[in-house]
Amino acid sequence: MGRAGRTYLAALAIIVFQAVSAGAAVYRVNNTLKEPGLLAQPVLKTLAEAMAVLRPGDTLKISGDYREPLIPIHSGTKENSIVIEGDPVFRIGGVERAVSVEIADYIEIKA
């Protein structure tokens, strides 16, 4: 491979890295929201649905009252943790082991 080919591959690697890094999203999960179409952010209904879509660098904002556990299934990375933020009215009740991060790394939980 010539110099032009190596330069092309290096440029392509930078573009792919930037696309992956810039792909961080902010999700909301709210099982009591009546009009989810009024928010600019995607709104999910269940914690399981939210855990399935989270990827490194993403943020999840939770509000509502849940009877299901919060168990992240994907890990963040050292550079891009997954952030889970609970609104003051967020509550998980009636579940054993309501929050478990044993199978995922680089998860940041904020109240």
Side-chain angles (χ1 to χ4, degrees):
M1 178 182 307
R3 183 175 181 174
R6 286 191 302 272
T7 303
Y8 171 78
L9 289 177
L12 183 60
I14 290 170
I15 290 169
V16 169
F17 176 77
Q18 288 174 340
V20 170
S21 298
V26 176
Y27 296 96
R28 293 191 68 78
V29 62
N30 187 328
N31 62 357
T32 59
L33 191 62
K34 302 292 184 216
E35 296 291 332
L38 298 177
L39 295 176
Q41 302 166 329
V43 178
L44 307 168
K45 288 287 188 185
T46 68
L47 297 177
E49 184 181 20
M51 296 301 101
V53 300
L54 287 176
R55 298 295 185 266
D58 288 349
T59 297
L60 176 66
K61 297 184 178 197
I62 305 173
S63 57
D65 189 5
Y66 297 88
R67 296 209 176 274
E68 63 178 304
L70 175 68
I71 304 174
I73 57 175
H74 298 288
S75 293
T77 65
K78 186 175 183 179
E79 297 81 20
N80 294 303
S81 62
I82 294 173
V83 178
I84 299 172
E85 297 178 1
D87 288 345
V89 293
F90 164 61
R91 190 179 74 145
I92 297 176
V95 233
E96 190 175 320
R97 297 188 72 185
V99 178
S100 174
V101 291
E102 294 172 4
I103 61 171
D105 294 317
Y106 298 104
I107 305 292
E108 186 177 341
I109 299 178
K110 298 180 178 181

